[in-house]
Amino acid sequence: MRPTVAEAFLALLKERGVDRFYIGAGTDTAPLVEAYARSAESGLAFPQPVISTHENVAVGMAHGYYMVTGRPQAVMLHVSVGAANAVCGLFNAARAQVPILFTPGRTPVFEGGHEGSRDSEIQWSQEMFDQAGMLRELVKWDYELRDGSNVHQLVDRALAIAMAHPRGPVCLTLPREALAAPLPESAPWPLPAPAQVAPAGPAPDPAAVAQLARALASAEFPAILCTGSGADPSTVAALASLSERFGIAVGDARSRYTCFPSSHPLFLGHDHVVVLKRADALLFLEADVPWVPKKGEPVAKLVAHAGTDPLFTRYPLRGHRTDLAITTTIAQLLPALSSALEDCGALRDADARRARALAWAGELRSAARARADADTQRGGAISKSFLTAAVTATLPADALVVNEYPVARERMPFDEPGRYFVHPTSAGLGWGFPAALGAQQAAPDRTVVAMLGDGAYLFANPAACHHASQLHGLPVLVIVFDNGGWEAVQNAATLVYPQGTAAAQVRAGGSAPLSNLAPLPDFARYAEASGGAGFRVSERAELEDVLRRAFRVVREEKRQALVHVTGRG
């Protein structure tokens, strides 16, 4: 017997390497429910369904799974209302260049006369004139399945576009009648080879690379600053090799990954504003917001940007100085740049350049140590810096860290790529906990830690996240830093009005209006309600012991745990 379109669709996902089908089921998913129910009878292989009780959790888990594996996953949510709840997660995926095959259901097209046509009152009120319009600005491609005869072409095209550089989410809307119908005789079965595949990533223009190499070679303090290059783990060792060979220092510009080894003697650290003040030739790698003009502009003679979309054309306003822009994957740029540096004679002065870079990096490391020592000596309530140092001291060697706000990066060094992940610059709150669950699913033998601010934790729909942790056997350790409010809101007010009344209230020990969230819930009980262990700590002397106990729960008992840390920002 030929399958239904729903069965063909699921089988096609599995055939194309989609391991997980993250789903918030609804009235529109009836054909998929039936497909899974009769999978033993049909003998067809489908992706593992991952039930989610909130749309943000589903999209965030798919995001996290891709971060670790590099393979895009599929998400299906309930018609217009589910798609609406998913927009924040898709915004994060779009800005982080994370490919997700988003396949929302659609209210049945017909009022009757077709398998799967309308049978519930909500199917009239939930319909929109243009359901995909709410997310069209965030996806690279969107379409609707009209008939099962070309379901294989549409899935292949969607996946190819999602994986084409710059990568990002795509949307294929699935009406219920189309899924419920038998696969037409005109559609190929068994499944054919892919109709389309993603193109190879762009290679850099040789003339532009030569211009960049000359600028770096002639500079006294050349520097490379990274934001998203570490999304490709292979670039980390290649960048370190280039740095060592030619004496070019490397730093982070609010990096979302490990882009360069923290212990490397040529590492400039994480305060890129100080780098802007000295570097006389600058190369930014996959940096969507390379600097904030109010905090400092680069003094370099040449400012270059490299990435798959170095102008970030989907950002309506982005006026950062760009003397040279190179469209390329970083993996292809680095060997080309190394060759160009060699060709222009950069090795002749490499020793002198390296000595200056080593001294510069040493100065910045000393400054970072001084800041850490000052925090330790200050004592008092647990700070972000102290929390980060305690987590680093207790972190298992295999652990992955997913950070949404509380990490003081200079106190959490990583040398290996693929172990540290940060929220996208869009900062759609609630990303970190779901992304950590997806990362745990992708790396079941690793310890995964989600470090969240209190606001980020609340926005993650914690009851749904803890439920997913228990339901799918994902023993993530969640560390929530609770400073009683939205620090970003308060900081924004004091930056805009440094002499204002809100700033005065903060200086006096209070909080700015609209930022205080107290009294906050006892977060530990969320984890306990879903079979996990909950801990609460407010004293510096107790922190490391509590963290070690929590790590034992997730590693030995294979249960989720949450550590609620109360402190100051």
Side-chain angles (χ1 to χ4, degrees):
M1 292 179 60
R2 290 178 70 80
T4 64
V5 175
E7 290 172 320
F9 168 72
L10 292 171
L12 186 61
L13 293 181
K14 181 67 173 178
E15 177 72 20
R16 300 302 189 247
V18 175
D19 303 314
R20 303 288 193 277
F21 190 47
Y22 297 95
I23 185 164
T27 55
D28 50 344
T29 56
L32 298 166
V33 171
E34 182 64 14
Y36 275 109
R38 58 180 238 110
S39 59
E41 177 186 345
S42 68
L44 298 174
F46 299 151
Q48 177 188 340
V50 182
I51 297 171
S52 174
T53 55
H54 194 281
E55 292 83 357
N56 190 58
V57 180
V59 177
M61 288 183 71
H63 189 141
Y65 194 95
Y66 171 80
M67 287 190 320
V68 175
T69 65
R71 298 194 302 273
Q73 302 303 297
V75 177
M76 184 171 186
L77 300 171
H78 177 50
V79 299
S80 55
V81 289
N85 262 350
V87 167
C88 182
L90 291 170
F91 203 131
N92 285 331
R95 293 304 191 239
Q97 298 184 5
V98 167
I100 291 173
L101 175 54
F102 183 54
T103 61
R106 186 202 185 283
T107 295
V109 177
F110 299 102
E111 293 184 338
H114 293 266
E115 188 82 54
S117 57
R118 298 185 184 188
D119 53 20
S120 171
E121 292 84 355
I122 61 172
Q123 292 163 347
W124 278 264
S125 58
Q126 286 181 336
E127 186 173 25
M128 299 176 70
F129 289 107
D130 184 11
Q131 177 179 302
M134 72 177 86
L135 49 85
R136 189 162 293 128
E137 190 171 338
L138 304 174
V139 297
K140 297 177 63 180
W141 171 92
D142 77 272
Y143 201 68
E144 181 172 301
L145 179 67
R146 313 283 172 76
D147 181 272
S149 59
N150 65 347
V151 63
H152 64 291
Q153 293 173 333
L154 292 178
V155 169
D156 287 342
R157 180 158 177 76
L159 289 172
I161 292 174
M163 288 294 284
H165 292 285
R167 292 172 175 169
V170 294
C171 176
L172 177 60
T173 303
L174 303 175
R176 193 166 76 170
E177 295 97 331
L179 290 175
L183 187 69
E185 291 293 333
S186 57
W189 187 262
L191 295 168
Q196 292 183 356
V197 296
D205 174 69
V209 175
Q211 179 185 348
L212 172 61
R214 290 192 297 270
L216 294 172
S218 62
E220 188 174 3
F221 289 102
I224 299 173
L225 290 173
C226 312
T227 299
S229 58
D232 180 350
S234 72
T235 64
V236 177
L239 183 56
S241 176
L242 183 146
S243 170
E244 294 161 7
R245 191 169 182 223
F246 298 102
I248 300 173
V250 179
D252 277 349
R254 294 183 64 84
S255 63
R256 298 190 298 272
Y257 310 91
T258 299
C259 300
F260 195 76
S262 297
S263 66
H264 199 287
L266 291 174
F267 184 50
L268 296 174
H270 307 280
D271 184 0
H272 68 293
V273 176
V274 300
V275 178
L276 300 180
K277 297 176 181 178
R278 180 181 283 190
D280 50 354
L282 267 174
L283 169 62
F284 288 93
L285 300 182
E286 290 289 6
D288 54 345
V289 186
W291 65 86
V292 176
K294 284 188 176 182
K295 297 180 180 179
E297 298 268 6
V299 300
K301 296 175 183 177
L302 179 102
V303 177
H305 300 258
T308 54
D309 179 15
L311 293 181
F312 290 86
T313 53
R314 297 302 297 164
Y315 289 30
L317 177 65
R318 183 182 179 275
H320 299 84
R321 176 184 159 199
T322 304
D323 304 319
L324 179 65
I326 303 176
T327 301
T328 178
T329 63
I330 306 307
Q332 294 199 68
L333 171 67
L334 294 175
L337 179 57
S338 182
S339 295
L341 284 165
E342 190 173 326
D343 291 344
C344 74
L347 286 172
R348 286 193 299 270
D349 301 319
D351 288 345
R353 198 164 42 245
R354 189 180 303 107
R356 291 191 297 270
L358 286 168
W360 186 17
E363 293 170 14
L364 297 179
R365 272 195 303 276
S366 296
R369 280 196 297 269
R371 288 191 292 269
D373 291 343
D375 177 83
T376 301
Q377 292 166 10
R378 185 163 53 243
I382 296 171
S383 65
K384 289 181 182 177
S385 177
F386 190 86
L387 170 62
T388 305
V391 173
T392 300
T394 56
L395 195 67
D398 70 336
L400 308 181
V401 174
V402 177
N403 173 41
E404 192 171 14
Y405 289 114
V407 170
R409 188 64 175 89
E410 60 193 22
R411 301 201 73 176
M412 183 173 277
F414 284 104
D415 284 344
E416 322 91 282
R419 287 189 58 202
Y420 179 72
F421 308 94
V422 183
H423 61 85
T425 345
S426 52
L429 282 177
W431 167 85
F433 196 169
L437 292 170
Q440 183 74 83
Q441 203 162 43
D445 297 327
R446 309 281 292 273
T447 302
V448 177
V449 182
M451 294 189 66
L452 314 174
D454 46 14
Y457 176 72
L458 289 170
F459 265 88
N461 300 285
C465 286
H466 286 294
H467 171 253
S469 177
Q470 183 180 34
L471 177 64
H472 303 298
L474 304 172
V476 168
L477 172 58
V478 180
I479 301 171
V480 183
F481 183 74
D482 168 11
N483 58 4
W486 280 324
E487 189 177 58
V489 174
Q490 180 167 286
N491 288 346
T494 56
L495 280 171
V496 175
Y497 303 104
Q499 304 306 318
T501 305
Q505 292 174 358
V506 173
R507 286 193 295 271
S511 58
L514 312 185
S515 63
N516 193 330
L517 300 180
L520 284 165
D522 183 350
F523 296 145
R525 295 193 179 185
Y526 277 109
E528 292 168 356
S530 289
F535 304 87
R536 189 179 181 113
V537 59
S538 59
E539 300 296 327
R540 291 190 176 210
E542 301 171 1
L543 181 56
E544 284 195 22
D545 179 63
V546 169
L547 289 171
R548 289 191 178 92
R549 288 160 56 198
F551 275 120
R552 283 196 292 272
V553 170
V554 299
R555 288 173 67 83
E556 297 174 14
E557 300 177 24
K558 301 301 179 184
R559 289 192 298 142
Q560 62 179 303
L562 183 143
V563 179
H564 184 169
V565 182
T566 55
R568 57 174 169 80

